[in-house]
Each structure stands twice: as structure tokens, then as C-alpha cells.
Amino acid sequence: IVLVYLLIVVTFQSWLDAAIIITALPAALAGIAWMLFITGTTLSVPALTGAIMTMGVATANSILLVSFARERLQAGIPPLSAALEAGATRIRPVLMTALAMIIGMIPMALGLGEGAEQNAPLGRAVIGGLVFATVSTLFFVPAVFAGVHSRLAQRRAAREAAQHQQHQPPAGTTAPQEN
């Protein structure tokens, strides 16, 4: 997760947006753990490989959402509206990516056939992780984006107001006039 975070920081040139993007990853880890527990699957190399695959897809979906929200924010839209618009606009690509991966992993997760039980943990980890990560990407990531960027806008406005007050003379006094 740390390596993914650092790569996103370099790409986005923002520590904050990178942190917002990876907020979907804990949900992915929870989904992986939940699915492996429910199915009675032990943690193995194929399950860890599935976890890595899940992290990649979850991160890509979050990047898609946050990059669109950033574009809208730079266009002058308030943070909450930008986050809501990003969620509404990017719901289809996020769902298509996640569902394609989930549906593609169902045969592997079932582990039917000779030797198929060896790769079943990979499919199970991907399915569980992507279900949780997709929900987190569509609901939690926009909420975090809106909250963080709204707070930043409030702090920026307060700082500008304080600077503006410093440059004005106190109330009731007049500025010296030059003749």
C-alpha cells in the first residue's frame, strides 16, 4: 500500500489526493479477508496474488473518480458538487471494470475441475476485495474528497480574509492622505 501511495503521489503531484485515492484500499483488504473467511480458504500465495490484483483495480477505479472530481474542482465547481458529479459520471466505468473482473473470476473461485482448487483462492480474494472496494470507491472516496477539499477551501477563505483585514486600516480611523 505504501508503494502504491508513493506512485500516486508522483503521478498526481499531491500528497492529499493520493491519500484520498487509497482510502478505498482498506475496504478491499476487508473484502478479501471476509471472502477468505466465509469460504474457509486459507491465506496462500494465490490469495495474495489475488489481493495484489484487487489493489490494482481498486486503485485504478479510485484514480478515475478522483481525477474527474479534480477536473471539476479546477473548473470552479464546489467540492461537494464536484465529488457528486464525479460519482454520478464515473459510476458506469467503475462498475463495468469491477463487474468484468468479478464475473471473470467466478469460474476460478468455484474451483471446479481437476486441479482447479489450487487457484480458487485467487478468484475468491479478487471477488471479495472488489465487491467491497467498488462500494467504497463509489460512496466513501467521493465523501472523503468532498470533506477534505471543502475543509481546504474554508481554510483558504479564512486565510485570505485575515490577509485582507491586515491590509485595511482599523475601523473608525482614516488612512493618511497625501497632498
Side-chain angles (χ1 to χ4, degrees):
I1 292 178
V2 173
L3 181 62
V4 170
Y5 176 71
L6 293 175
L7 287 172
I8 296 169
V9 167
V10 170
T11 303
F12 272 82
Q13 299 176 353
S14 167
W15 294 93
L16 198 59
D17 284 337
I20 294 169
I21 288 168
I22 66 165
T23 57
L25 298 186
L29 290 174
I32 292 165
W34 174 77
M35 183 61 104
L36 293 178
F37 177 75
I38 293 296
T39 59
T41 306
T42 59
L43 193 60
S44 60
V45 172
L48 293 174
T49 304
I52 292 170
M53 291 171 62
T54 300
M55 294 298 165
V57 174
T59 302
N61 285 342
S62 290
I63 288 172
L64 187 68
L65 201 109
V66 169
S67 64
F68 187 81
R70 277 182 57 172
E71 287 174 13
R72 303 308 300 149
L73 197 63
Q74 290 171 350
I77 294 177
L80 180 60
S81 298
L84 291 174
E85 189 175 332
T89 305
R90 297 298 184 208
I91 190 169
R92 191 179 338 170
V94 168
L95 285 177
M96 286 172 53
T97 303
L99 286 175
M101 190 87 157
I102 290 168
I103 292 168
M105 289 292 163
I106 289 174
M108 185 182 292
L110 293 174
L112 303 175
E114 222 175 292
E117 67 277 351
Q118 184 178 16
N119 287 327
L122 187 147
R124 293 173 187 158
V126 169
I127 291 171
L130 280 181
V131 167
F132 279 54
T134 302
V135 171
S136 178
T137 298
L138 291 174
F139 296 107
F140 187 66
V141 172
V144 171
F145 181 89
V148 168
H149 283 281
S150 293
R151 178 75 177 128
L152 285 175
Q154 288 173 350
R155 288 176 64 189
R156 193 175 307 117
R159 188 173 32 244
E160 288 173 2
Q163 286 177 350
H164 183 68
Q165 265 187 338
Q166 277 182 339
H167 297 297
Q168 288 189 354
T173 61
T174 58
Q177 296 182 3
E178 295 180 25
N179 291 338

